[in-house]
Amino acid sequence: MAKERERDDHDLADIGLIGLAVMGQNLVLNMADHGFRVVAYNRTVEKTTEFVAGLPEDSGISGAETLEALVAGLAKPRKVMIMVRAGAAVDAVIAELVPLLDEGDVIIDGGNSNFPDSERRAEELGERGLLFVGTGVSGGEEGARHGPSLMPGGNPEAWPLIRDIFQGIAAKTDAGEPCCDWVGEGGAGHFVKMVHNGIEYGDMQLIGESYDFMQRLLGMDNDAMGDTFNRWDEGELESYLIEITAAILRFRDENGEAVVDRIIDKAGQKGTGKWTAINALDLGIPLTLIAEAVFARALSALKNERQRAADVLEGPGTDGTLPPDDWLDALGQALFAAKILSYAQGYMLMRAAAKEYGWALNYGGIAQMWRGGCIIRAAFLDDIKAAFDKEPELENLLLDDYFRERVHAAQASWRRVVGEGVARGLPMPATSAALAFYDGYRSARLPANLLQAQRDYFGAHTYQLIDGTPEWYHTDWIASGGKVSSSTYDA
C-alpha cells in the first residue's frame, strides 16, 4: 500500500476521476457544480491539460498528469472513479491504482461493465482491504452533466463514503428525491444497470414498431408522426424516449430534409441487451420481449441480405393505407400495454437474480432511481414504485391492481394492432412477443405436457404428474426402451 503523504487537507480533492471522454468530463463538471472538489486524470495528458485549461480558476477542478499525482491529491479515505471502456481497460487501471492506495480507499467503476466482472473485482479488492463499487450511470451526456441516474453496488462499507457525492449529482424526482440509492453487494449495481439497458432495448424496439405501423400502414408523414408522439408524451406514455422520438421526427437539416429518413436501417449495440438476454436464459426467465428486441437489431444488421430477400420473398399482398383516426388510439394502447410487459419482464429477471446471487434488492427504490436522469425514465415508474411500496414481495407487475387494470383496458386494442400487423406482413416482434407472453402467463395450462411426453419418448427424460406428487416417471412408449431414464432440469 502507499506510504503516508503529508499535505494540507484544504488542498485535497473529494474524489478523483479517471477517463475524460465526454461522460467523464461531464461528471467532473457536475460534481464541481455541486461543490465537490475533483482531480481529473486521462492517460493522454494533453486531454487533461486541455480540459482543465478551459475552466475558471475557482472551478474546484484540478488536473493530474500521473496516477500518483491523482492519488496524492485526494483526501482520505480516497475515492477514485473510473470512466473507461468496460473490460480489460478497467482491470488495467485498477492494477495501476492498487499499489498507490491504502486500506479503506474506494475504487468506483462507472462504465458499462458486465456484472460478473464487478462481482470478481469486489471480491479481489476486498481481499486487499480496498472498497469496490460498480455503478450504473444512465442518462447519456446530458444526464452526466446535469443529473444522471446512478445505480451503485459493491462493498457496502463504501456507500457512506460516496453517498453525498452520488446523491448530490444525481437527477432528482419532482419531489426532490435523488435518483440514486445503494442497490446491493457485489455486482448488483451493474446488474440493475444491465436490466435497465435491456428494458431500454425493448422500449426502443416497441417505439420503432409503432413508428413503422404509422409510416407503412397508416401512410403518415414525419410531421404527423411527430405530432402523435408528442401527444402521447403528454399522456400516460410520457417518457424520455417518446419525447426524443417526437423531436427526431420533426428534425430537419439545412436543406429542410428529415435526417431520420437518411439514416440506414442497421441498428448497432454495445452488448448490454445481449447480456440481459443471456442472463435470462441462464436463470430460466422468459424475457421474451427484450430478447426479441436484441434479435431485431441483429436482423437489421443483415441489410444487404434483406434487400436481396425483398426482391424474391412474397408477403400477404395487401394494398392501401388504413385511416389514422381509426388506429392511432389503438396503437397507443398497444404500445402502452407492451411497455408494461417490458418492465414486468425486467423486474422478473431482477427478482430471480436477487434469489440466485443473494442480493436484497429494493424494487421500489430501483423504480425511483429510474424516474429521472436515465434513458428509460417514464411517468409510470411512479406507479411501479407505488406497486412495490404496497407489496414489496410482488411476484409480477401484472398482478398489481393498477397494471392489471391497464392491461385489461388496453388488450383489445393491443390484439387488434398485432393482428393487423400480422395480416399485412408488418414485423412487430417485440409487440407481438409481449402479447404472447401475456397470454402464456395468464394460462393455467400450457401444452408443455405434450412437450414433456415427447422428451420422454425420444430421450427418456421423465415427467411428473398433475397430481402434484414429487416423483418423476418414465413410460416405455414403444415397449422396447426399458426403464432407464435420463436426467433433466426445469427451465
Side-chain angles (χ1 to χ4, degrees):
M1 291 293 178
K3 296 180 179 179
E4 294 292 327
R5 297 174 178 85
E6 297 291 335
R7 191 161 181 175
D8 184 348
D9 279 351
H10 181 73
D11 297 329
L12 297 177
D14 301 298
I15 189 169
L17 189 138
I18 298 171
L20 293 176
V22 174
M23 287 289 288
Q25 289 188 21
N26 283 347
L27 283 171
V28 168
L29 294 171
N30 188 355
M31 292 172 184
D33 285 347
H34 287 85
F36 300 106
R37 293 166 296 176
V38 189
V39 56
Y41 168 83
N42 196 80
R43 187 175 296 276
T44 305
V45 176
E46 292 77 14
K47 196 160 195 173
T48 307
T49 304
E50 180 183 347
F51 174 60
V52 175
L55 302 172
E57 289 187 12
D58 61 350
S59 66
I61 301 168
S62 60
E65 295 188 358
T66 65
L67 286 179
E68 289 81 1
L70 177 135
V71 171
L74 294 172
K76 293 185 176 181
R78 304 176 185 91
K79 298 167 281 291
V80 183
M81 188 168 187
I82 303 169
M83 294 297 296
V84 302
R85 184 184 295 274
V90 176
D91 286 323
V93 173
I94 289 175
E96 291 184 66
L97 273 175
V98 166
L100 307 175
L101 298 175
D102 295 316
E103 288 189 14
D105 288 346
V106 183
I107 295 177
I108 306 160
D109 173 20
N112 261 336
S113 291
N114 202 357
F115 79 95
D117 288 335
S118 295
E119 291 269 315
R120 169 179 57 81
R121 290 163 185 153
E123 183 177 353
E124 292 174 353
L125 291 172
E127 292 171 354
R128 293 173 174 265
L130 297 171
L131 310 180
F132 175 80
V133 174
T135 184
V137 180
S138 182
E141 301 169 15
E142 182 72 12
R145 181 66 185 88
H146 299 292
S149 168
L150 296 169
M151 298 154 250
N155 192 317
E157 293 179 32
W159 180 230
L161 306 177
I162 66 172
R163 181 194 291 118
D164 288 348
I165 297 174
F166 270 41
Q167 292 191 335
I169 69 170
K172 306 298 187 293
T173 67
D174 290 341
E177 300 164 313
C179 296
C180 169
D181 205 348
W182 187 250
V183 175
E185 296 191 13
H190 273 134
F191 184 91
V192 169
K193 175 55 162 53
M194 179 192 77
V195 174
H196 164 284
N197 284 25
I199 294 172
E200 178 184 311
Y201 272 57
D203 265 9
M204 293 172 74
Q205 179 64 27
L206 292 172
I207 291 170
E209 291 172 15
S210 296
Y211 156 75
D212 207 25
F213 195 102
M214 290 184 211
Q215 181 178 235
R216 293 170 60 180
L217 300 193
L218 306 186
M220 297 171 64
D221 61 24
N222 287 337
D223 288 333
M225 289 188 286
D227 290 343
T228 299
F229 278 104
N230 187 64
R231 187 168 64 254
W232 284 350
D233 191 47
E234 295 171 351
E236 62 186 4
L237 276 166
E238 178 195 339
S239 69
Y240 174 72
L241 286 169
I242 294 288
E243 174 190 339
I244 68 169
T245 300
I248 288 167
L249 289 165
R250 290 169 166 165
F251 192 85
R252 302 293 184 269
D253 63 16
E254 62 277 6
N255 298 318
E257 296 182 41
V259 174
V260 70
D261 293 341
R262 294 165 48 203
I263 299 175
I264 192 170
D265 54 322
K266 290 172 61 175
Q269 51 186 312
K270 289 191 173 181
T272 47
K274 178 181 72 174
W275 295 342
T276 311
I278 290 171
N279 186 254
L281 289 169
D282 287 341
L283 296 181
I285 300 301
L287 210 74
T288 54
L289 187 158
I290 292 170
E292 284 292 350
V294 175
F295 287 131
R297 293 195 187 193
L299 181 60
S300 78
L302 304 177
K303 175 64 174 178
N304 293 336
E305 193 173 335
R306 287 189 292 111
Q307 286 179 316
R308 292 192 296 273
D311 293 332
V312 297
L313 298 181
E314 294 184 358
T318 53
D319 297 320
T321 58
L322 303 169
D325 289 346
D326 292 345
W327 282 93
L328 283 179
D329 181 65
L331 186 60
Q333 290 291 310
L335 176 57
F336 186 70
K339 186 181 178 75
I340 290 173
L341 266 291
S342 183
Y343 284 77
Q345 290 186 1
Y347 269 86
M348 287 174 66
L349 182 59
M350 287 191 287
R351 282 180 57 85
K355 182 177 180 181
E356 178 72 15
Y357 307 123
W359 298 331
L361 300 183
N362 179 349
Y363 303 110
I366 290 168
Q368 179 175 308
M369 280 184 252
W370 292 347
R371 185 62 185 91
C374 73
I375 303 301
I376 65 169
R377 60 185 184 265
F380 80 174
L381 281 160
D382 288 337
D383 300 301
I384 293 178
K385 185 177 187 304
F388 283 105
D389 286 349
K390 181 174 63 176
E391 179 51 68
E393 299 303 317
L394 181 66
E395 276 189 292
N396 193 298
L397 278 178
L398 292 172
L399 303 180
D400 173 73
D401 291 343
Y402 171 79
F403 289 104
R404 182 178 66 249
E405 291 168 4
R406 289 303 299 114
V407 171
H408 286 174
Q411 73 165 299
S413 294
W414 191 8
R415 295 180 189 283
R416 183 183 177 213
V417 166
V418 170
E420 192 67 25
V422 171
R424 287 177 170 258
L426 187 76
M428 303 187 75
T431 311
S432 57
L435 182 56
F437 172 88
Y438 175 75
D439 284 335
Y441 189 69
R442 68 178 186 83
S443 295
R445 187 168 174 84
L446 293 169
N449 57 316
L450 176 59
L451 185 151
Q452 282 296 89
Q454 291 169 332
R455 295 179 72 244
D456 191 57
Y457 188 108
F458 65 68
H461 290 293
T462 71
Y463 53 83
Q464 290 178 295
L465 300 176
I466 60 175
D467 60 10
T469 55
E471 289 79 17
W472 289 83
Y473 297 90
H474 166 59
T475 292
D476 185 4
W477 299 92
I478 54 177
S480 62
K483 295 184 178 180
V484 178
S485 63
S486 178
S487 62
T488 189
Y489 73 95
D490 290 327

